[in-house]
Amino acid sequence: MSVLYDAPGPKTRRRHVIGGIVGGVVVGAVIALIVRKLDKEGQFADAYWAPFQNSGVWQNTLLPGLRFTIQAAVLAIALAVVFGILLCSARTSEHRWIRVPGAVVIEFFRACPLLLLILFFYLAFGKELGTLWPLVLGLMFYNGAVLAETFRAGINAVPRGEVEAGYSVGLTKSQVSRLILLPQAIRAMLPAIISQCVVALKDTSLGFIISYEELVRRGKGIYESYYNIIPTALVLAAMFITINYTLSKIATLLVARLRRRGQRPVERTDVGEVTMEPTAR
Amino acid sequence: MNVLADNIGTILDGFRETIALTALSAACAIVLGIILAAMRVSPAAPLRWAATSYVNIFRNTPLLLLFVLFVFGLPTIGLRASFFTRAVIALSLYTAAFVCEAVRSGINTVPTGQAEAARAVGMTFTQTLRHVVLPQALRAAIPPIGSLLIALTRNTSVAEAFGTREATYVLDSLGRDHASALYWIFAGIALGYIILSLAIAGGFRLLERQLAVIR
């Protein structure tokens, strides 16, 4: 029950039911309108959907495409984590001449459009590197910069007193990092890292533009021979949504578990901004 | 360096297109996003269900796929519009899902006592939302919406592969013609995007200060 409205009485409940019916009708009408338009234009014709009932198309086109998508995403995330750790340690360094360049690099890759990076790597090194590596490099730099900020927030989320307590019982700096900071920080960051995987997985589709054979590019092969752009796009969207929704659900469950244990997870918005949960709730 | 000076007109035209795409899509996305957020907290279950599905669908679909669907797909069902308009449709529908979530989390930051007090003095759901919760929620949502608009500016670059000659398209075409000067072109255009992001960030910081209230 939301705090926005009271537990409804009989009159209000009736009004809510009426509102629900009216709202349902409006939503239903919008959906019906879209479906009718698609139907009138023959988008539900068997010829358009036939390729997706053909197991050959799945085995030879779509599933390999999905494999290429996942391959690029996994490579990119793995490299981005490494790059992110490097950037984060530069950003939090005690030496100004390391800290400032670290911050500049992070801000540059966060402000620069990912596609601009990918196109740059493709135009500069495409002849030698093919299409996979320009895509992976672009994703690595962008996601690495975002992850660096996530890591920093995760480390900041550990209460200062714990670090001071570590020093006061005579632990060295690396022991404090290894035994106190990292175990807690990683747990707090895990949901944010999983959300970043969703972002990276979605962004691999930019490989389409430099003709990397990922899922959407494979879909292009289908819609160019069957002239079924809308059915193809809907099938591809369903595949992406299934994977990403599952990953997002896992992240949400992890956040809920952390909160039950009274820890504060590092939250990230979907645009690469890292925020801390407000404590006062 | 000369390439930048020689093509400054093309580059500026590209950024004009980028700014136009961003501004129009931002306006549509914010309006649609606020409507969706209101639906997500409404007592009418079908509206809540519809808005939640919308967010889950559009947030988990790659923007590029939405471009394929709307820019290439719309003409196949007889809906004609310019490349620019179709790009704005794809960008706004995508961004609206994120705006909805930003506003909704803004609503969640409003202390429960505020809504309870509004109800205690007899305000209805609509009144509570309009006079008490939304004004505070929108203020809390301003910084995240600012970051969303910066992300939107970056996202408009996808339109370069879909018939819109915006700034990233300029890199794509100039970079192919002047391969030796690619680094300069990249630096110049990246700088343009960074200036745009800084301008939006500055604008939103100003807005935040203007609208700040003592709570």
Side-chain angles (χ1 to χ4, degrees):
Chain A
M1 179 43 67
S2 165
V3 294
L4 292 175
Y5 35 89
D6 232 325
K11 249 192 199 162
T12 320
R13 220 171 307 150
R14 202 166 341 128
R15 236 186 32 231
H16 285 177
V17 170
I18 294 169
I21 292 169
V22 172
V25 167
V26 170
V27 169
V30 171
I31 295 173
L33 215 70
I34 297 172
V35 171
R36 227 189 89 203
K37 176 72 182 163
L38 289 176
D39 189 38
K40 223 176 81 189
E41 300 288 339
Q43 292 296 322
F44 296 116
D46 284 343
Y48 284 161
W49 293 86
F52 305 110
Q53 290 152 8
N54 178 345
S55 63
V57 169
W58 284 92
Q59 271 164 24
N60 302 325
T61 312
L62 288 176
L63 292 180
L66 184 61
R67 215 188 53 226
F68 283 129
T69 290
I70 291 175
Q71 183 192 1
V74 168
L75 268 174
I77 280 290
L79 289 171
V81 167
V82 176
F83 183 59
I85 291 172
L86 287 178
L87 274 183
C88 174
S89 28
R91 178 75 180 78
T92 52
S93 161
E94 286 165 6
H95 306 288
R96 210 188 148 83
W97 52 274
I98 302 179
R99 198 170 57 227
V100 173
V104 170
V105 170
I106 290 176
E107 289 311 318
F108 175 80
F109 285 118
R110 285 196 344 172
C112 186
L114 176 55
L115 180 59
L116 194 75
L117 279 178
I118 294 172
L119 275 174
F120 168 71
F121 287 123
Y122 176 65
L123 293 177
F125 312 112
K127 282 198 193 72
E128 300 86 35
L129 295 180
T131 51
L132 169 66
W133 284 102
L135 175 64
V136 169
L137 281 178
L139 286 167
M140 177 193 97
F141 281 112
Y142 170 67
N143 290 299
V146 175
L147 282 177
E149 289 299 84
T150 310
F151 296 153
R152 194 159 69 100
I155 289 169
N156 286 341
V158 179
R160 250 200 93 63
E162 300 205 10
V163 177
E164 284 162 0
Y167 285 130
S168 71
V169 295
L171 297 182
T172 64
K173 208 172 141 191
S174 72
Q175 282 175 318
V176 166
S177 294
R178 195 160 44 85
L179 299 173
I180 298 175
L181 277 178
L182 285 182
Q184 302 190 65
I186 288 174
R187 223 172 303 141
M189 286 178 316
L190 207 56
I193 294 175
I194 293 177
S195 316
Q196 195 60 36
C197 291
V198 172
V199 175
L201 196 74
K202 281 198 303 180
D203 284 343
T204 52
S205 63
L206 293 175
F208 175 92
I209 294 172
I210 58 167
S211 64
Y212 173 65
E213 287 287 321
E214 48 72 56
L215 193 50
V216 186
R217 191 79 194 177
R218 286 300 178 94
K220 184 182 166 152
I222 295 177
Y223 71 65
E224 280 181 343
S225 31
Y226 294 88
Y227 307 106
N228 58 347
I229 297 179
I230 293 180
T232 306
L234 294 182
V235 169
L236 295 181
M239 293 173 75
F240 273 108
I241 292 168
T242 312
I243 298 171
N244 290 335
Y245 186 71
T246 314
L247 281 175
S248 311
K249 259 274 147 351
I250 294 174
T252 319
L253 289 178
L254 282 176
V255 168
R257 209 178 71 172
L258 280 175
R259 241 179 244 152
R260 266 204 311 277
R261 292 184 179 172
Q263 285 171 328
R264 293 192 296 156
V266 174
E267 301 243 322
R268 64 177 297 294
T269 60
D270 302 83
V271 292
E273 284 288 300
V274 183
T275 50
M276 289 301 304
E277 267 287 275
T279 28
R281 284 181 65 81
Chain B
M1 200 67 196
N2 280 333
V3 182
L4 285 184
D6 292 346
N7 294 290
I8 190 75
T10 323
I11 295 174
L12 287 181
D13 280 347
F15 274 108
R16 211 164 295 139
E17 199 76 355
T18 296
I19 292 170
L21 271 178
T22 309
L24 254 167
S25 316
C28 299
I30 288 175
V31 172
L32 184 57
I34 291 176
I35 295 173
L36 283 169
M39 283 167 71
R40 273 201 88 160
V41 298
S42 97
L47 294 181
R48 255 190 339 250
W49 175 83
T52 312
S53 313
Y54 180 96
V55 169
N56 282 332
I57 289 172
F58 280 87
R59 223 169 39 156
N60 289 317
T61 309
L63 176 61
L64 185 115
L65 191 54
L66 292 179
F67 267 92
V68 171
L69 182 60
F70 289 103
V71 179
F72 295 158
L74 282 186
T76 66
I77 55 168
L79 296 173
R80 311 228 166 270
S82 68
F83 279 116
F84 183 85
T85 313
R86 281 176 276 160
V88 168
I89 294 175
L91 284 165
S92 329
L93 292 180
Y94 180 75
T95 312
F98 297 96
V99 173
C100 168
E101 287 305 274
V103 174
R104 196 176 67 113
S105 56
I107 290 176
N108 287 339
T109 62
V110 178
T112 33
Q114 298 274 332
E116 282 168 353
R119 271 181 7 219
V121 295
M123 287 187 173
T124 63
F125 169 71
T126 325
Q127 285 172 326
T128 311
L129 215 53
R130 205 180 115 210
H131 298 295
V132 179
V133 177
L134 273 185
Q136 299 183 64
L138 286 178
R139 281 188 179 89
I142 283 172
I145 288 178
S147 342
L148 272 175
L149 291 199
I150 293 173
L152 173 63
T153 314
R154 286 188 266 126
N155 283 339
T156 55
S157 64
V158 179
E160 77 102 23
F162 296 87
T164 308
R165 299 179 165 228
E166 44 67 75
T168 302
Y169 176 84
V170 176
L171 173 98
D172 207 347
S173 61
L174 281 186
R176 283 170 205 272
D177 296 345
H178 307 272
S180 56
L182 180 66
Y183 289 82
W184 284 111
I185 300 168
F186 171 70
I189 291 176
L191 183 70
Y193 275 107
I194 290 169
I195 292 173
L196 273 184
S197 309
L198 289 178
I200 295 176
F204 267 80
R205 211 162 301 141
L206 217 68
L207 191 66
E208 209 186 328
R209 209 171 315 144
Q210 286 283 313
L211 294 177
V213 283
I214 298 162
R215 288 207 267 207

